[in-house]
Amino acid sequence: ILGAKEDDAESITNNSRSGRVCPALSRLPERKLSDRSMGWRKSDDVVEEAMRKSLLHDLVSDSRASADQVVPWFMDNMPADYFDQLNKDVWYVHLKALSALFEMRETPNLQLTSPCLNYITFLKPHNYTGLLSEMIKELPQHRSPTSVRLFTSLDTYLAVNVFGYGEQNLAQEQEIEGRYWPKLKEYFDERKEPLDQPHLFTKEALQEYLRKCPSSYLNLCSAQRFIKQRIQYEKVKGGEHVDVQIERNYKFHSREDGLSLTLLSIAAHNHKTRVTLETFSAYLASAHLDIEFLYVDRIVDEGGAVDVMSILVRDPPDATNEAWEVIRQDLQRVKWVDDAALQAFNSSSTASFDLQQAEILCALCNMLHGKMNVESTKISLEQMLNAVYAEEYSLVAADLTILFEGRFHPKHTMPLQKQEALVKDLRERIGLIVHKRIRMLFDMMLDVVSTSRKTNLFVPNRRGLTISVDPVQLQTSKHTAGVPYGVFFTHGRRCNLFHVRFREHSRGGMRVATPNGPEEYTLRSQNHYNEAYGLAATQQAKNKDIAEGGSKAVLLVKLPQVDKQVKTSKEEKKTGEELEIMQKEKESYIFRSVRMMSDCLLDLICPAEDLQQHIVAYGNRQEYIYLGPDEQILPVHINWITQQAKDRKLPYATAFMSSKPATGINHKEYGVTSEGVCIFLDVALRNIGLTPEEEPFTLKMTGGTSGDVAGNAIKILNRLYGENARIVGLVDHRACVEDPNGLDHGELLRLVNNDLNLGDFDTKKLSSIGAFHTRDTHEGRTMCDSMHNRIEANAFLPAGGLPNTIRKDNWEKFMKADGEPSAPLIVEAANIFIEQEARVKLTENGVLIVKDSSANKCGVICSSMEIMANLLLTEPEFVQFKEGYVKDVLDHLRNLARREADLMFTEYKKTAGDDMDWSKSLPGIAERISQVMNSTSDVIVHQLPETIDQTEILELAKSALLPSLRTKSGDKLKVVAKGYINNLVAKWLSSQLVYHEGLDYVQRSIPKNKLAEASLQYVEETKRIDKMIEKLRGHGIEEEKEIIELIYQ
């Protein structure tokens, strides 16, 4: 049970401060202690007088005079539940402390810690609003309690709060069979009212549930509370929702003074108890709800636990049922609300905002942080939040939220005329704001609010706030790739996500950014949209070979250490245990954020009627999102996202997320991205005069052995070239290894195959001139961060690292002192490692760059191939089909990479040595290839329905499939969305033209209004030539090979 054992009595840490002395504890009428538990704890049959005498005897040696007053007051004023829930040893410790303080005329203000550190008790002079929230801040940061008991004396002069730590003992079979089940059975038999959800209370169901409950909880829990919390547990287990039940006019057996009370019963899954308490207590304080008692217990669930809470609060004056419903809904959502919004709601200066409105304002500030920091305008996120929550601007801010709520309220949608009038009024009032930056901020917020397309604001049980934003509102001069088709912004607790897509049907990965410190977080926050936009634009360029356009989701997570580093300026050395705790905490935050953001995206794309009735959409268009894995997305995340899409009835659930471990083609397992990267590297090396299979060449790489692209590139290079591929420098997030003689392949492959990072590199494998640096020191970090510039090599493969690592302000560091580049060739295996301005400068100074949109395109092509199979096959069919299909996909990827690489260098050689403009440079040609193929397919997709009917389009779509899938899927293409099919055919026709005939032919020889017709004719002619060649084969013609090559030319 919660009470400490006799040999574990709590020691007193006297944190008392002088203040008002608890009065001489006036006597209340005599009270009998009663056993309010289910009777599972054997009754002591101790009458109150005997207890008084016993306690007086124990305390007599300390101070009889104090005890004479304290003990009677204590017995009369502590609620019966205090004596039920805690044992006598704990009463004694509390009484001893109170007696000592009373004798010294000190206010009770103590923190008591048991020697084993398993219990921390706070004794406070009286209960008041926000007391619990204050106490939680004083608890150890690195530990989370497993049980909590909060009691208030009947005269309100004392608050006793006990926090239990350590592993809880779960109920054992002997206890379940001998005590708990018989007692429950007896109660059920005597109960007159039928049980809700009786299937939860069968013997088998209860036995399974009881095994998950701590004995301390079962020993002290009333039957009524047990039943209620059993039902609540079932509602939230295995998920992340919060269930809140409210019972008004609750009759508390310890209260006979007519005080109006309300009981809150809460079940919250998969959260640290400390965080749960912090969040709920902060909300209760802001809602001005005084806590009479609070019980928290933790019940085991697969993959986590459920906190079950009973909180008795005093009714605020004039509380209505409607007000309590708002409180209930807020409590169900508050764990997902960001700290900034919750703090604003808590602040007395923002009384004009409710929690939802505070959340809306917080989301808008996070969304616009980047746009507010372009050009010369500089403002921190904290300054933005302070401005919108300031009393000076509260009326404007409140009306902005009213406009947002009114536009999207599903039952009380604000009429368009009223919307327009409110927008006009707000615009005029914003124009009167004197401060320029704040005026700009409110103007931008109004633009977003008045033009947004849809939101999940009124979706029940939403995790975060998602807004489909008009992309025009986020555009700046930096966004040169055009206005995206759509932008989703999602805001939640300690995380934000931008999803940017350039076509209706778009594909791109989701990556997670986890800055390590406040400065890095600020930088990533300011560039959040720019990063998502840039990655999506790059994805649009590389998706030229597949049905989908380009998109990208960037999830920015604010880890707890970001806050901790704000509080200390000095660098602290962490122990191994602390680093392990931080890593687990990081993984937990990432997974929680991934779940939150993915579910919020599903809110806006699932067509289910029961969901759509809560959404008002402007534009009335169906939204399609296709995700894939990127940085820090793990198989467990992929599986969860896919299953959630199925559970929420997304029609294309299996296609929502690619690279699924079982029913997908995992990028890291098969090295799909790296296969293409190595093809581009191979072609590039040959074009600078190296024959890699015959002579050694040197490489430097970022990304590391545990990374997808870098790790697989190491394996493929070893497979293709053996020791000829000399990796002279390699860096990742932990360390950097360098060796001019080339790093040991066996050691690198050991790390790759065991998914180990460079921190585990065996330095004995380095030559005498090799070097090893870790990021644990300032010097080590400097060496790691400069490796890609310092080391000389034939080629550089950036296969990991921060976006825009090489920028316009530091590109010269890549050059040697003599003006020559440290590597004459760069193959961009990682997206936007090089900023465009820097790419131009490096090209002008003689560096050949294979651009990211070409070099790493095979990853997304593989995802598209996987998803097409998912759309056409059942999961069992795909699993059976997978092995052979993967081989076909890998061959297809290598073929597409080589076709583009050959085309790129063929076009480059046409003007090599001339004074070239950017379009004739190697990266410029890569951009041209993407631009020509995408613009050609865009024209074709609009002309197709006017040129041939849909049946013929479906036949062409079959030709675009890999042969094995074409045979396996039969006629199932007709179930795929029409827009997707048309895009598939258009991209296939475009690639046939461009790869075979070149850029000039497509751009100059075919009239734009005849592109669809010409491409269809081209395909027919290609089929006719293929048939001719088939007839030539096998007839023993001596010049057969030369004839076939001539025909294809």
Side-chain angles (χ1 to χ4, degrees):
I1 61 174
L2 258 174
K5 295 179 181 177
E6 189 167 352
D7 59 356
D8 188 31
E10 298 178 86
S11 61
I12 298 178
T13 304
N14 192 338
N15 294 325
S16 64
R17 297 183 296 270
S18 296
R20 72 181 177 91
V21 178
C22 191
L25 316 169
S26 60
R27 299 290 303 272
L28 291 177
E30 292 287 317
R31 288 182 176 276
K32 293 290 184 182
L33 290 178
S34 59
D35 186 1
R36 301 287 177 177
S37 74
M38 291 176 62
W40 299 338
R41 179 165 59 100
K42 184 179 179 182
S43 174
D44 294 327
D45 295 324
V46 180
V47 298
E48 183 176 355
E49 189 59 32
M51 293 170 69
R52 290 174 188 265
K53 290 179 179 179
S54 173
L55 289 168
L56 282 169
H57 176 76
D58 290 338
L59 291 169
V60 68
S61 60
D62 295 318
S63 175
R64 179 61 186 249
S66 298
D68 280 341
Q69 296 186 68
V70 172
V71 172
W73 172 87
F74 189 81
M75 299 299 296
D76 287 340
N77 281 277
M78 293 309 294
D81 278 33
Y82 172 86
F83 299 102
D84 284 342
Q85 297 285 326
L86 306 178
N87 68 24
K88 181 182 175 183
D89 296 321
V90 179
W91 310 343
Y92 172 74
V93 171
H94 295 169
L95 273 169
K96 185 177 179 181
L98 289 170
S99 295
L101 289 172
F102 180 76
E103 187 171 346
M104 293 185 294
R105 314 305 292 172
E106 289 282 349
T107 300
N109 199 350
L110 300 176
Q111 178 179 322
L112 313 173
T113 305
S114 65
C116 69
L117 306 180
N118 279 345
Y119 302 99
I120 296 176
T121 297
F122 291 91
L123 301 179
K124 294 292 183 178
H126 58 97
N127 196 359
Y128 54 86
T129 305
L131 172 62
L132 177 61
S133 184
E134 290 178 10
M135 285 187 297
I136 292 169
K137 293 176 183 177
E138 297 180 37
L139 294 174
Q141 289 287 332
H142 65 284
R143 302 179 72 197
S144 186
T146 52
S147 62
V148 183
R149 296 292 185 268
L150 184 155
F151 308 97
T152 304
S153 65
L154 300 181
D155 61 3
T156 73
Y157 277 112
L158 180 67
V160 179
N161 304 277
V162 183
F163 296 87
Y165 290 85
E167 186 175 349
Q168 293 183 301
N169 296 319
L170 301 182
Q172 301 299 304
E173 292 297 329
Q174 185 177 359
E175 295 175 300
I176 293 171
E177 289 292 336
R179 295 167 60 191
Y180 302 145
W181 165 246
K183 196 67 183 180
L184 280 167
K185 179 70 166 59
E186 179 184 348
Y187 176 81
F188 295 154
D189 291 341
E190 295 175 357
R191 180 184 170 100
K192 296 180 181 179
E193 304 85 7
L195 288 165
D196 291 335
Q197 303 187 42
H199 65 283
L200 299 179
F201 299 97
T202 63
K203 182 176 182 180
E204 294 75 16
L206 271 180
Q207 285 176 327
E208 181 182 353
Y209 176 69
L210 289 168
R211 294 185 190 105
K212 302 174 182 179
C213 298
S215 297
S216 57
Y217 165 70
L218 297 176
N219 289 342
L220 302 171
C221 186
S222 70
Q224 293 85 348
R225 180 156 67 100
F226 176 84
I227 292 169
K228 182 183 294 184
Q229 291 178 341
R230 168 73 182 100
I231 295 171
Q232 288 189 293
Y233 172 92
E234 199 67 22
K235 288 181 180 180
V236 302
K237 72 171 187 177
E240 290 174 293
H241 296 305
V242 175
D243 185 68
V244 179
Q245 303 293 326
I246 290 179
E247 185 177 344
R248 298 202 63 191
N249 300 315
Y250 183 76
K251 302 302 181 185
F252 184 31
H253 52 77
S254 291
R255 279 284 184 192
E256 299 175 359
D257 52 6
L259 188 67
S260 180
L261 301 169
T262 293
L263 180 67
L264 305 175
S265 299
I266 303 173
H269 180 270
N270 208 22
H271 222 225
K272 286 185 176 180
T273 305
R274 180 195 173 93
V275 178
T276 301
L277 284 170
E278 284 177 342
T279 306
F280 286 117
S281 64
Y283 178 86
L284 293 173
S286 355
H288 306 290
L289 296 173
D290 292 331
I291 299 174
E292 188 76 11
F293 72 64
L294 177 146
Y295 305 149
V296 181
D297 292 283
R298 175 152 274 217
I299 300 173
V300 174
D301 182 28
E302 292 183 15
V306 174
D307 286 321
V308 290
M309 290 170 269
S310 294
I311 309 175
L312 187 66
V313 298
R314 301 175 193 172
D315 276 3
D318 304 320
T320 63
N321 289 334
E322 290 75 15
W324 275 110
E325 177 58 20
V326 170
I327 291 172
R328 190 191 68 80
Q329 292 178 10
D330 283 351
L331 286 170
Q332 290 194 154
R333 282 222 62 258
V334 71
K335 83 168 190 174
W336 301 109
V337 177
D338 192 65
D339 292 335
L342 189 55
Q343 288 168 9
F345 176 63
N346 293 346
S347 171
S348 59
S349 65
T350 57
S352 54
F353 303 129
D354 61 27
L355 184 63
Q356 180 169 280
Q357 291 172 326
E359 182 186 16
I360 293 169
L361 294 170
C362 189
L364 292 171
C365 286
N366 278 269
M367 179 198 299
L368 294 168
H369 187 204
K371 190 172 182 180
M372 282 292 295
N373 280 275
V374 298
E375 308 297 337
S376 59
T377 305
K378 298 295 177 185
I379 184 170
S380 70
L381 180 59
E382 184 179 8
Q383 289 172 323
M384 294 168 66
L385 291 167
N386 287 340
V388 299
Y389 292 138
E391 188 173 0
E392 182 180 358
Y393 308 112
S394 61
L395 294 179
V396 170
D399 282 351
L400 266 172
T401 65
I402 290 170
L403 174 63
F404 188 75
E405 291 171 326
R407 292 190 73 230
F408 295 105
H409 198 292
K411 294 181 179 179
H412 308 289
T413 309
M414 186 182 292
L416 287 176
Q417 188 175 3
K418 189 173 181 180
Q419 289 183 36
E420 292 168 358
L422 183 51
V423 169
K424 182 180 179 182
D425 175 66
L426 277 166
R427 192 75 71 186
E428 292 173 354
R429 289 156 61 192
I430 290 170
L432 299 176
I433 295 175
V434 175
H435 197 294
K436 180 181 177 181
R437 290 190 302 178
I438 296 175
R439 186 170 65 249
M440 286 176 58
L441 172 60
F442 278 110
D443 261 328
M444 288 182 188
M445 292 171 71
L446 180 56
D447 288 338
V448 169
V449 168
S450 60
T451 60
S452 293
R453 295 166 176 172
K454 62 166 69 172
T455 179
N456 69 340
L457 181 66
F458 294 100
V459 172
N461 297 318
R462 63 180 173 87
R463 299 173 191 241
L465 176 59
T466 300
I467 305 172
S468 177
V469 186
D470 179 358
V472 172
Q473 306 308 328
L474 299 175
Q475 286 293 104
T476 71
S477 58
K478 288 187 174 183
H479 305 135
T480 57
V483 179
Y485 178 86
V487 174
F488 283 154
F489 174 75
T490 300
H491 170 70
R493 183 177 176 81
R494 304 188 71 88
C495 58
N496 294 301
L497 176 137
F498 274 109
H499 182 278
V500 181
R501 70 192 196 282
F502 276 85
R503 295 293 184 272
E504 178 185 19
H505 294 270
S506 293
R507 173 165 304 286
M510 174 192 285
R511 66 166 47 182
V512 182
T514 51
N516 291 315
E519 292 182 2
E520 185 184 345
Y521 180 83
T522 297
L523 182 63
R524 293 299 288 265
S525 178
Q526 288 176 350
N527 289 287
H528 192 181
Y529 179 72
N530 294 340
E531 181 178 349
Y533 178 94
L535 290 167
T538 300
Q539 197 74 49
Q540 172 65 19
K542 76 172 67 172
N543 286 15
K544 52 190 171 287
D545 300 282
I546 61 175
E548 304 95 332
S551 66
K552 207 71 174 185
V554 178
L555 170 56
L556 180 62
V557 180
K558 188 176 185 181
L559 297 174
Q561 53 258 44
V562 173
D563 295 332
K564 293 171 186 174
Q565 289 191 33
V566 171
K567 299 173 185 176
T568 175
S569 58
K570 66 178 183 178
E571 187 176 338
E572 297 178 356
K573 184 76 173 178
K574 298 286 191 303
T575 66
E577 183 180 357
E578 287 174 328
L579 289 172
E580 185 177 351
I581 291 172
M582 286 176 61
Q583 181 60 29
K584 288 182 178 179
E585 191 174 50
K586 175 181 177 180
E587 292 170 359
S588 175
Y589 266 89
I590 289 175
F591 195 10
R592 180 176 179 273
S593 300
V594 166
R595 295 193 299 267
M596 181 195 304
M597 296 299 155
S598 303
D599 201 47
C600 286
L601 290 176
L602 288 168
D603 284 343
L604 294 192
I605 65 175
C606 289
E609 289 185 13
D610 59 343
L611 172 64
Q612 291 302 315
Q613 66 179 334
H614 301 289
I615 293 174
V616 174
Y618 293 85
N620 194 29
R621 65 180 188 179
Q622 178 65 45
E623 306 273 15
Y624 296 94
I625 291 180
Y626 303 93
L627 299 174
D630 203 335
E631 295 175 7
Q632 301 197 79
I633 294 295
L634 305 176
V636 65
H637 305 156
I638 296 170
N639 287 337
W640 189 92
I641 291 169
T642 303
Q643 186 58 50
Q644 188 70 356
K646 292 177 183 177
D647 293 344
R648 300 200 58 184
K649 306 296 189 294
L650 184 69
Y652 55 95
T654 55
F656 181 52
M657 185 72 178
S658 66
S659 198
K660 298 175 287 295
T663 58
I665 304 175
N666 186 275
H667 287 199
K668 189 171 184 178
E669 179 181 353
Y670 295 103
V672 294
T673 305
S674 303
E675 289 285 356
V677 168
C678 290
I679 293 291
F680 278 98
L681 175 65
D682 181 271
V683 174
L685 288 171
R686 296 176 194 280
N687 276 274
I688 62 172
L690 292 169
T691 309
E693 70 274 12
E694 296 178 2
E695 58 185 315
F697 62 96
T698 55
L699 282 169
K700 55 182 175 180
M701 298 172 60
T702 61
T705 46
S706 62
D708 170 11
V709 182
N712 279 299
I714 291 169
K715 292 169 68 175
I716 295 167
L717 290 168
N718 184 70
R719 182 188 78 202
L720 294 175
Y721 313 119
E723 294 298 327
N724 281 348
R726 296 182 181 175
I727 301 172
V728 294
L730 188 63
V731 66
D732 68 4
H733 64 288
R734 290 292 304 277
C736 169
V737 285
E738 308 168 11
D739 198 327
N741 293 330
L743 297 170
D744 184 271
H745 277 212
E747 177 61 9
L748 292 179
L749 290 173
R750 179 186 73 84
L751 298 180
V752 172
N753 293 330
N754 290 281
D755 200 25
L756 299 173
N757 58 58
L758 292 178
D760 296 301
F761 187 91
D762 183 358
T763 56
K764 295 177 183 177
K765 302 293 184 178
L766 292 171
S767 73
S768 59
I769 54 176
F772 177 78
H773 310 283
T774 68
R775 294 184 181 273
D776 294 337
T777 65
H778 176 74
E779 180 184 359
R781 285 193 295 274
T782 300
M783 298 300 285
C784 289
D785 292 340
S786 62
M787 188 284 296
H788 66 279
N789 291 323
R790 291 184 293 103
I791 302 297
E792 295 183 29
N794 296 126
F796 170 40
L797 259 67
L802 293 175
N804 300 325
T805 296
I806 299 179
R807 305 180 301 276
K808 63 181 178 181
D809 61 344
N810 67 9
W811 67 270
E812 290 175 301
K813 294 180 180 179
F814 192 79
M815 311 300 291
K816 299 187 295 184
D818 61 3
E820 293 296 312
S822 59
L825 171 65
I826 299 177
V827 179
E828 294 186 71
N831 286 320
I832 61 173
F833 185 88
I834 306 175
E835 190 180 55
Q836 177 63 10
E837 291 91 333
R839 193 181 285 120
V840 172
K841 288 294 183 181
L842 290 171
T843 300
E844 290 174 349
N845 283 270
V847 183
L848 277 178
I849 300 177
V850 179
K851 196 172 180 296
D852 49 6
S853 58
S854 298
N856 63 36
K857 72 175 186 175
C858 286
V860 74
I861 297 173
C862 175
S863 293
S864 187
M865 298 294 101
E866 171 194 331
I867 295 310
M868 179 53 74
N870 289 155
L871 290 170
L872 299 177
L873 305 176
T874 64
E875 290 188 346
E877 287 174 336
F878 181 87
V879 171
Q880 185 181 23
F881 176 63
K882 179 177 175 177
E883 185 177 351
Y885 187 58
V886 168
K887 293 178 181 177
D888 288 350
V889 169
L890 289 173
D891 288 340
H892 182 62
L893 298 179
R894 297 183 190 112
N895 179 49
L896 284 177
R898 191 166 295 279
R899 288 169 74 179
E900 182 173 356
D902 288 342
L903 173 62
M904 187 187 305
F905 279 95
T906 298
E907 295 286 340
Y908 178 68
K909 287 176 182 177
K910 291 179 182 179
T911 54
D914 297 346
D915 292 332
M916 295 184 298
D917 60 26
W918 175 253
S919 66
K920 296 178 182 179
S921 68
L922 199 61
I925 289 169
E927 291 175 358
R928 275 188 67 206
I929 292 172
S930 294
Q931 189 274 326
V932 170
M933 290 182 68
N934 281 325
S935 62
T936 299
S937 64
D938 285 345
V939 173
I940 291 174
V941 79
H942 286 99
Q943 293 177 357
L944 264 181
E946 301 170 1
T947 309
I948 56 177
D949 62 31
Q950 197 61 30
T951 303
E952 294 174 289
I953 292 175
L954 280 171
E955 285 301 313
L956 283 170
K958 290 181 181 179
S959 300
L961 301 178
L962 294 183
S964 56
L965 182 59
R966 189 186 312 145
T967 302
K968 181 74 174 178
S969 61
D971 295 326
K972 294 182 180 179
L973 268 173
K974 59 188 177 184
V975 304
V976 181
K978 179 180 175 181
Y980 192 96
I981 291 293
N982 290 0
N983 285 334
L984 173 67
V985 171
K987 289 289 186 71
W988 179 69
L989 292 173
S990 171
S991 67
Q992 298 295 308
L993 283 174
V994 174
Y995 285 143
H996 285 116
E997 302 301 329
L999 300 177
D1000 290 341
Y1001 173 78
V1002 176
Q1003 285 186 300
R1004 300 174 185 175
S1005 302
I1006 306 175
K1008 188 174 181 180
N1009 62 349
K1010 296 291 184 180
L1011 270 173
E1013 184 180 338
S1015 63
L1016 292 169
Q1017 290 174 354
Y1018 186 87
V1019 168
E1020 289 302 315
E1021 285 299 308
T1022 302
K1023 289 180 180 177
R1024 189 174 68 83
I1025 291 171
D1026 288 342
K1027 289 178 181 179
M1028 291 172 56
I1029 290 173
E1030 281 301 312
K1031 291 180 180 180
L1032 281 173
R1033 294 185 191 278
H1035 288 284
I1037 300 174
E1038 188 174 340
E1039 299 84 3
E1040 177 184 303
K1041 184 177 179 181
E1042 289 80 2
I1043 293 172
I1044 291 174
E1045 288 179 353
L1046 183 62
I1047 291 173
Y1048 272 129
Q1049 288 178 1

